Amino acid sequence: MASQTLSSSSSPAFQTLDLGVEGMTCASCVARVENALRKVPGVQDASVNLATESARVTLAGAAGDDAMPQLARAVRDAGYAPRAADGGVQADASPWSGFGPVAAGLLLAAPLVLPMLLSPFGIDAMLPPWLQFVLAAPVQFWLGARFYRAGWHAARAGTGNMDLLVALGTSAAFGLSLWLWWRWAAGGHAGHGMDAPHLYFEASAVVIALVLLGKWLEARAKRQATAAIRALQNLRPELAHLLRRRGPRWEESDLPVAELRAGDRVAVRPGERVPADARVVEGRSSVDESMLTGEPLPVAKAEGDRLTGGSVNGEGRLVAEVTAVGAESVLARIIRLVEDAQAAKAPIQRLVDKVAAVFVPVVLVIALLTLLGWLFVGGAGVEAALIHAVAVLVIACPCALGLATPVAVMAGTGVAAKHGILIKDARALELAHRVDTVAFDKTGTLTRGQPVLSALAPAAGEDEAHALAMAAALQSGSEHPLARAVVREAKARDVAWPSAEAIEAVPGRGVRGRVEGGTWAIASLRWCEELGVPVPADEAQRFLATGASVSALLYWPGGEAAAPRRVALLAFSDEPKPGAAEAVAQLRARGLRVVMISGDNLQAAQAMAARVGIDAADVRAQVLPGDKAAAVGELRQGGHVVAMVGDGANDAPALAAADVGIAMGGGTDVAMEAAGITLMRGELALVDAALALSDRTVAKIRQNLFWAFFYNVVGIPFAAFGLLSPVVAGAAMAASSVSVMANALLLRRWRPGR
């Protein structure tokens, strides 16, 4: 019935369940489903999205195991149909899917409205009352049955929705027509009825036909808005070429991708999609990852390189070892992030929901006042008063109000995913346009993150090769970029190193361990100062002036109880990422303040900042990993809205502390989970693109809300004062929903840099 996923909350006491909800038509429906779900025992919160026709429910952990039947029953009792959470995006439906009832309604209503169009030209083509009834009745009670059902459920629950307004309005017009026809016939009139009074069968039939047309256009637009998810789902191939060892040879056989397991070996032929996340063990090729990262050019792959499931192999045959399958794969996580963002509510939508909760009751009161006003103040007859009240009910349908925000979020997150920008939640998408300060982590974010050991300066009497061997011994088991730089340099010089034991990482200071029975450490200058180890200022200054990071190799000759001595200085250099300076310039051109947060010493950090165009005053140096979040907090003081850009696990607290966290996709899973936005490519230009897309999306939301309110705020008075017929009101109501959807879908034309 629905999919179940663990909550992103760190607390194991809660979990989230997703389910689809069919039959919702407006913002009032959203409020009713949410209220019904919140009454289920164990439910902590419920959020319903009209555009995706989905609900996300947060439950207490113990209640989650058997809650789904109760949630489905609550949805059904509220008058809607529960379905599988992903049922709305599983397949590409025909563009004309569901058009049958719409076509039937338009065909039946056309003969009724045609005489109205011809009458200004002096052509009297009014149909006899019996024929008008025959044409209008199927529209009212067959095609319009959905409005009666949903309206009845709403009324029974003590709320109102679009369906109730349509059912009341069209029933009033249809009933008035029956009354006028009966009164005319009872007066002794006979014949073909060409002299009958004006009836309003065309109003009820045309309104229902136009509303059905509007809902069909909405559904078609929704399918376009969810095209990004369907495109990602279609990247999954059905078969993999599994390799099994049979004696000295490998035999190849086809296997459903769903049956692959981590550790399996697969062959990927030229032109095929990679079946799962894997690591190349044999072969060379280039791989097209554009649908995952937005990268337009193929990426070269060789032994040891990672492959992402869903990418397309180029010209060479590859043999790869599967590293992740199913829900743990990169593609599955991308789909999950996009679905989460599209199912979530933007903060502004919560205000809209509050308005919608009282909107329908207010409209009913206005319609009643219109009826009474025309009867007792305007001096009109029952016929005219009722028609004006019907026009109020029809024009006021809050369809567009419920769609204004979620459809823009769907379109924005969808086009972002297409270009390698994964937006984790709607809050980040909406909030990013208010960012006035962007803080960058330095290593791996602004820089390549692959430093080299640019200099090794032994102290007097120390052997350089021995110092390099001891440093490599300490770093050989680490994946830290500086550690890899030391090991690469030792390998390049063909220096062998002994094994180390009791390795201990000292956060923000360095690493310590035992090598050949003695205690050694690679220490930051800060740690050296704390330990009382003197460092030649002129020598360190020479390295720092070039922007290099400086560490010291220390040895405790008398054991850890004694003071250590400096064996050598190690200088590490890093280069800015390609395009880093341009990206910073783009952000500053937008009027944003750009800040660098680094664990390096001030001089090294300022040297790198100067190379990428960041002011020295905006450098935060010697910041320990645990203090990065506090540094972000300081930037947020005074009401500033801060975006933090980082890539490492030590950046996760800062990413979470920022108003908007932006993780580089080449970074760690922890950083990606903590961030609201993930850039699938390491291109810093995408930071500006993500902020620009937020600007465009929020602009669309505001435009949509303006038009949604405009139709109602302007239309209701016009209808109340008799300036709109029910037919025109129905057309305007349908046009409001369609215009909101069409305006939001213009976001699909967005491109980075445009």
Side-chain angles (χ1 to χ4, degrees), residues 8-35:
S8 59
S9 169
S10 60
S11 172
F14 299 99
Q15 63 179 157
T16 60
L17 297 178
D18 295 330
L19 71 158
V21 182
E22 290 182 345
M24 295 187 296
T25 54
C26 67
S28 299
C29 298
V30 170
R32 188 144 57 92
V33 175
E34 286 181 342
N35 290 335

Side-chain angles (χ1 to χ4, degrees), residues 258-280:
E259 297 180 20
L260 283 178
R261 293 178 297 178
D264 284 343
R265 283 201 174 194
V266 294
V268 187
R269 300 166 184 166
E272 290 185 338
R273 290 197 180 276
V274 178
D277 293 356
R279 180 179 57 83
V280 177

Side-chain angles (χ1 to χ4, degrees), residues 415 418-419 421 586 590 685-686 688-697 745-754:
V415 73
K418 183 178 179 181
H419 295 287
I421 303 170
Q586 285 177 335
R590 292 168 61 91
L686 289 182
D688 179 71
L691 299 181
L693 178 60
S694 174
D695 290 344
R696 291 286 298 276
T697 303
L745 288 177
L746 290 176
L747 279 172
R748 299 176 70 200
R749 298 161 54 186
W750 177 84
R751 299 289 184 276
R754 283 178 52 180

Side-chain angles (χ1 to χ4, degrees), residues 48 109 139 158 201 231 267 281 296 336 412 442 470 497 512 546 552 559 584 610 672 693 718:
V48 176
V139 179
F201 285 122
V281 295
R336 194 158 61 242
K442 181 177 80 75
M470 295 299 103
W497 59 85
R512 176 169 51 192
T546 65
V584 170
M672 293 172 67
L693 178 60
F718 270 72

Side-chain angles (χ1 to χ4, degrees), residues 465-477 496-504 511-522 553-557 559-560 567:
H466 180 258
L468 181 57
M470 295 299 103
L474 287 173
Q475 302 284 37
S476 60
W497 59 85
S499 60
E501 58 186 18
I503 299 295
E504 174 193 5
V511 62
R512 176 169 51 192
R514 296 188 61 80
V515 185
E516 295 181 337
T519 300
W520 293 77
I522 294 181
L553 177 66
L554 306 181
Y555 173 61
W556 279 258
E560 295 185 26
V567 176

Side-chain angles (χ1 to χ4, degrees), residues 717-740:
F718 270 72
F721 287 106
L723 301 177
L724 282 181
S725 72
V727 172
V728 175
M733 189 272 290
S736 68
S737 298
V738 175
S739 63
V740 161

